[in-house]
Amino acid sequence: MPISLKDEAAIAGIGLTEFSKNSGRSELQLAAECIKAACDDAGISPSEIDGLVSYTLDSTDEIEVARAVGANDLTMFSRINYGGGAAVGTIHQATMAIATGQASTVVCWRAMNGRSGKRMGQGVSGDITSSDLVHWSWYTPYGMLIPGSWIAMIANKYMHNYGVTREDLGLVAISQRNYALNNPRAYGYGKPLSMDEYMASKMIAEPLCLYDFCQETDGGCAILITSAERARDLKQKPAMIRGVCQASTRGQEQMTSYYRSELTSLPEMELAAKLVYEQAGLGPHDIDAACLYDAFTSEIIMQLESFGFCKEGEGVELVREGGLDIDGRLPNNTHGGLISEAYIHGMNNIAEGVRLVRGESTGQPDKNVEHVLVSSGVGVPTGALILGKD
Amino acid sequence: MNTEEQRTFEELIYSYVGKQVCPRTAAKDAVNEAMIRHWAEAIGDRNPAYTDPEWAAQSSRGKTIAPPAMMYSWGQEGFPVVAQGRTPDAQSELVEKFNENGFFGTLGTNVKQEYFKEVSPGDTVYMEMVVDNISEQKATARGIGYFFETLATFSDQHGDEIGTQRFRVLKFIPPAEQAAATESADSALEVPTRIASPRGHDNKWWWDACDEGKVLIQRCRDCQTLRHPPRPMCGECQSMQWDSIESALAGEVLSFTELHHPKIPGYQYPLICAVIKLGEGTNLVANVVGCEPEAVHIGMPVQGKVEQVDEKTMLPQFYPA
């Protein structure tokens, strides 16, 4: 008898460090700080943590974190691959563990010196031998070494097919910057972005310019998950996990799925949408706000289609009519997102999803937010999460 | 410097190859504990094999040894060189010839030491040095220049070789002087090359064929399905038997991106990467060249050929068809 993950678990705490370009401390310390903050938010002691999940890209071992924060016995620990594609995947692991009794209090974290230390944006280079890195080498000799170049190939084809312009991408960047203006944690706090500035900014990998790219950030973010039942007894209003899934599709590559029939959609995101809606018993019309993964602006428009908020090729219309803004159909990345708040590999988008459900976002829409959709990395094996009010 | 002048200059500098910089000469001091201690402290090397006689007595060697990397320091001139200048030798003459011809810039690029035998306090280190080789003219990121390499050979009082050191120096025309030194820059360019693919079990054959001017497409020997990039098993029928066909490299641009920033050393800009839909049916990522970047568009018919794009790299490049 399959176990449904719907409403089995809830997010009971979120914890963040400050976001900066130079944290001045170790990634282990960032991890410990944000995990402690998540425990404080939930009103529990770190000694109660019995499960830990992070990204394969995170440099800090679970047991280092466990010793640092004073966790006791761990009965579940796991890692998810594929960069930002791991974000929701960590919650998926935690939810499965809780639903099957493998752990009772699981923390998912990502802590990185993403600007002062290893910068994801620098891409790949050098002597490489693993199968994963042989993969990159089909692109490196030609000059495609950075994430922006891999995504630009998809963005260009998509934009060509559906008449999406640079100004349209600019609208996404500006919408998210407008949210960040009010968010003291955000890189974009108090720094407005105009369309003129957007259009004049440096071209990186055509059609993507500087402001189409996410930040590079030092910081940590932790999400504490426990059973729905227990979450109700803790300090915060629980953010119920209505549905959560991972998804990778046939012919999937990491960032460079250029060998499928068309390059104008995100099949793995469509699969994630199907799975998460089915699990939650919800559809796009039930979603009040979203935190769609936004390493690049073009990814937002494509995901509007993957998740059924509009028909194929019509994502841009939703953007043009202000659908992503605070009074729009789908307020999106109300903290500023990876583009204007911080790039913590998508973990900070999950934290924002929790705030929206709690009604605590600095970009909280006036309308009732019953359900929030959060997605993981785009162009990679990914996943989706629907959070709901209890 | 015109071609004739360059030839004359190169004849002159190449005559130094093989010349002795110094004959086999004993270091002023024997290998000693004080120098070893100073060196180990400066480097921060706490290996007791160098500085702890009691520990060393219990070790397999039975005594302390000098850090092998100190080899070159035993024969170093000290204060007198600073105070009185260096006695001319073949190396200093060679450097002077470079300077006289505008190659003022000096950059020590690398040192390579090899160790054959250990020495201990009481031993004497002898050094002999020759000008070992001088490169062709190179266009480096620093400027046009020549690499020269000295080879020092070290031996002990028994005449046993203890190690060698190769010291490579770039003598170049600094950019300000570059404009004045006309021509001659075009020959034998050595600039950074593109990042090459590692070659493992699953992809080496593809790149080896590329080196020979061919783009191959892997084909399942059982169900005949073409696949790219290569992988060991057919995703359609799970067969591991495969061969390949050669692509005619006729295709069209499915999508592309022009890369602006950052500009990676070894890559020539403007730089266009494209997904090419090949006539055979598979897609291939490669560069589009041979036209203005603005002319590249989705749906553009292209014809590829495998070309040498830099000193080390053969790659398929696609031209407007």
Side-chain angles (χ1 to χ4, degrees):
Chain A
M1 185 64 184
I3 299 169
S4 166
L5 298 182
K6 184 186 181 185
D7 294 337
E8 288 290 323
I11 296 177
I14 58 175
L16 298 90
T17 66
E18 86 290 359
F19 300 137
S20 73
K21 299 294 179 190
N22 187 356
S23 73
R25 52 206 196 274
S26 69
E27 293 178 335
L28 172 58
Q29 182 171 340
L30 294 172
E33 287 179 23
C34 68
I35 291 169
K36 173 67 166 57
C39 291
D40 289 347
D41 188 48
I44 67 162
S45 160
S47 65
E48 294 181 60
I49 296 168
D50 59 3
L52 284 168
V53 188
S54 190
Y55 297 43
T56 53
L57 278 179
D58 199 282
S59 72
T60 310
D61 284 345
E62 297 90 318
I63 50 172
E64 299 294 332
V65 166
R67 288 205 310 278
V69 302
N72 289 321
D73 299 344
L74 296 182
T75 57
M76 181 267 182
F77 28 92
S78 176
R79 293 261 164 169
I80 311 291
N81 199 351
Y82 311 116
V88 163
T90 63
I91 310 297
H92 185 239
Q93 291 285 300
T95 307
M96 290 196 296
I98 286 161
T100 57
Q102 303 306 306
S104 68
T105 309
V106 182
V107 171
C108 305
W109 91 91
R110 178 78 174 106
M112 55 203 277
N113 283 326
R115 181 59 183 81
S116 67
K118 178 179 165 50
R119 301 171 63 180
M120 300 301 147
Q122 287 186 328
V124 295
S125 62
D127 292 334
I128 48 183
T129 47
S130 70
S131 72
D132 168 55
L133 291 169
V134 163
H135 154 68
W136 298 117
S137 74
W138 292 106
Y139 313 103
T140 50
Y142 304 101
M144 296 171 68
L145 287 85
I146 59 168
S149 66
W150 307 322
I151 287 292
M153 196 71 88
I154 303 281
N156 198 19
K157 175 71 169 165
Y158 172 82
M159 291 167 73
H160 173 82
N161 263 37
Y162 297 122
V164 177
T165 64
R166 283 196 59 215
E167 283 86 350
D168 295 325
L169 301 186
L171 289 175
V172 174
I174 291 166
S175 169
Q176 295 199 186
R177 179 58 66 91
N178 288 342
Y179 287 118
L181 293 177
N182 302 317
N183 172 5
R185 290 180 312 276
Y187 168 80
Y189 180 55
K191 294 181 209 159
L193 175 66
S194 71
M195 185 59 86
D196 286 346
E197 283 172 89
Y198 172 88
M199 291 302 289
S201 76
K202 179 162 36 177
M203 190 54 76
I204 309 286
E206 246 173 83
L208 303 177
C209 70
L210 180 66
Y211 290 113
D212 293 311
F213 281 59
C214 63
Q215 295 298 311
E216 293 180 298
T217 310
D218 285 12
C221 181
I223 308 290
L224 189 146
I225 297 139
T226 189
S227 69
E229 199 183 332
R230 179 157 175 251
R232 290 186 184 108
D233 298 331
L234 296 178
K235 206 164 108 188
Q236 304 287 350
K237 284 182 279 185
M240 302 295 290
I241 295 171
R242 295 264 189 263
V244 61
C245 68
Q246 287 189 292
S248 169
T249 46
R250 192 172 178 86
Q252 180 85 56
E253 289 205 0
Q254 189 168 187
M255 302 296 281
T256 55
S257 300
Y258 303 148
Y259 310 95
R260 305 193 281 208
S261 55
E262 283 303 325
L263 308 181
T264 51
S265 63
L266 303 169
E268 56 283 341
M269 210 55 94
E270 287 165 16
L271 175 60
K274 176 176 175 291
L275 294 174
V276 80
Y277 286 142
E278 272 176 15
Q279 198 181 97
L282 298 169
H285 53 277
D286 297 307
I287 304 297
D288 304 302
C291 293
L292 300 174
Y293 195 91
D294 57 324
F296 302 94
T297 51
S298 58
E299 299 177 342
I300 295 291
I301 306 180
M302 293 181 78
Q303 286 179 89
L304 293 173
E305 298 167 23
S306 317
F307 283 102
F309 295 108
C310 57
K311 295 202 191 92
E312 195 177 312
E314 294 178 0
V316 68
E317 289 169 31
L318 197 50
V319 173
R320 286 175 189 162
E321 69 193 35
L324 305 179
D325 300 338
I326 196 159
D327 52 357
R329 154 69 189 93
L330 189 74
N332 179 56
N333 287 327
T334 44
H335 54 325
L338 310 182
I339 290 173
S340 270
E341 185 194 55
Y343 181 71
I344 310 296
H345 251 148
M347 268 324 222
N348 52 320
N349 287 9
I350 300 174
E352 178 65 6
V354 174
R355 285 186 212 104
L356 281 165
V357 166
R358 290 181 183 172
E360 293 174 355
S361 169
T362 53
Q364 191 73 32
D366 287 338
K367 68 177 176 181
N368 179 39
V369 176
E370 192 68 28
H371 292 115
V372 178
L373 172 71
V374 185
S375 63
S376 294
V378 176
V380 293
T382 187
L385 165 71
I386 295 175
L387 296 172
K389 279 189 178 162
D390 190 23
Chain B
M1 207 182 270
N2 64 30
T3 314
E4 191 52 40
E5 288 166 340
Q6 185 181 341
R7 191 173 303 135
T8 311
F9 172 65
E10 288 183 349
E11 250 172 52
L12 175 65
I13 57 170
Y14 291 147
S15 71
Y16 280 84
V17 174
K19 279 196 182 173
Q20 200 171 52
V21 177
C22 76
R24 183 170 180 267
T25 309
K28 285 179 178 167
D29 301 299
V31 173
N32 63 79
E33 286 164 352
M35 285 282 279
I36 292 174
R37 184 173 58 77
H38 288 307
W39 192 94
E41 282 176 1
I43 299 294
D45 189 333
R46 295 179 184 168
N47 190 338
Y50 304 146
T51 50
D52 186 342
E54 275 179 41
W55 184 92
Q58 306 299 317
S59 72
S60 62
R61 297 181 179 86
K63 57 183 176 181
T64 59
I65 60 164
M70 275 188 81
M71 189 164 64
Y72 186 59
S73 41
W74 298 111
Q76 289 289 284
E77 295 290 339
F79 183 68
V81 171
V82 183
Q84 295 147 26
R86 183 170 161 170
T87 315
D89 59 32
Q91 185 181 355
S92 63
E93 281 174 27
L94 173 61
V95 167
E96 200 46 46
K97 301 293 177 231
F98 277 118
N99 291 347
E100 284 166 10
N101 285 275
F103 296 85
F104 298 109
T106 303
L107 181 72
T109 58
N110 41 327
V111 180
K112 184 180 173 187
Q113 295 187 333
E114 281 189 281
Y115 312 119
F116 309 127
K117 187 185 176 187
E118 294 166 350
V119 290
S120 289
D123 289 331
T124 299
V125 174
Y126 291 76
M127 182 181 83
E128 176 185 6
M129 190 189 284
V130 295
V131 175
D132 190 66
N133 62 75
I134 302 174
S135 74
E136 295 166 6
Q137 190 178 86
K138 304 286 188 185
T140 74
R142 301 258 168 194
I144 296 164
Y146 296 83
F147 292 96
F148 77 85
E149 195 168 75
T150 55
L151 172 62
T153 308
F154 303 90
S155 51
D156 64 11
Q157 65 274 20
H158 309 296
D160 296 343
E161 233 176 73
I162 62 177
T164 60
Q165 172 174 292
R166 291 181 173 279
F167 199 115
R168 201 163 195 235
V169 174
L170 171 66
K171 287 297 289 175
F172 61 99
I173 302 178
E177 281 81 33
Q178 201 95 334
T182 51
E183 297 185 6
S184 74
D186 299 336
S187 57
L189 294 183
E190 185 182 76
V191 290
T193 53
R194 298 190 184 206
I195 296 170
S197 174
R199 299 189 184 192
H201 286 292
D202 299 333
N203 70 343
K204 181 175 187 293
W205 62 273
W206 194 94
W207 287 106
D208 287 349
C210 187
D211 286 345
E212 288 166 15
K214 287 183 285 195
V215 168
L216 300 183
I217 303 171
Q218 196 177 29
R219 177 174 63 184
C220 175
R221 223 150 62 186
D222 287 307
C223 74
Q224 305 290 302
T225 304
L226 297 175
R227 59 186 198 255
H228 181 82
R231 38 194 178 266
M233 184 182 283
C234 174
E236 300 300 319
C237 75
Q238 290 70 48
S239 168
M240 285 192 282
Q241 306 301 314
W242 56 267
D243 55 17
S244 63
I245 59 167
E246 183 177 351
S247 172
L249 296 179
E252 70 167 62
V253 172
L254 192 60
S255 188
F256 69 97
T257 176
E258 182 181 356
L259 305 167
H260 292 266
H261 177 85
K263 298 211 167 23
I264 318 257
Y267 293 77
Q268 293 81 46
Y269 295 82
L271 181 61
I272 305 258
C273 288
V275 180
I276 310 289
K277 187 163 186 59
L278 294 173
E280 289 81 7
T282 55
N283 294 352
L284 175 72
V285 168
N287 299 120
V288 175
V289 297
C291 63
E292 292 300 313
E294 299 74 37
V296 180
H297 59 273
I298 289 171
M300 174 183 187
V302 286
Q303 176 61 49
K305 53 182 172 180
V306 176
E307 292 182 326
Q308 182 149 14
V309 296
D310 59 39
E311 274 184 36
K312 295 176 183 161
T313 318
M314 296 284 283
L315 285 178
Q317 304 283 288
F318 285 78
Y319 291 78

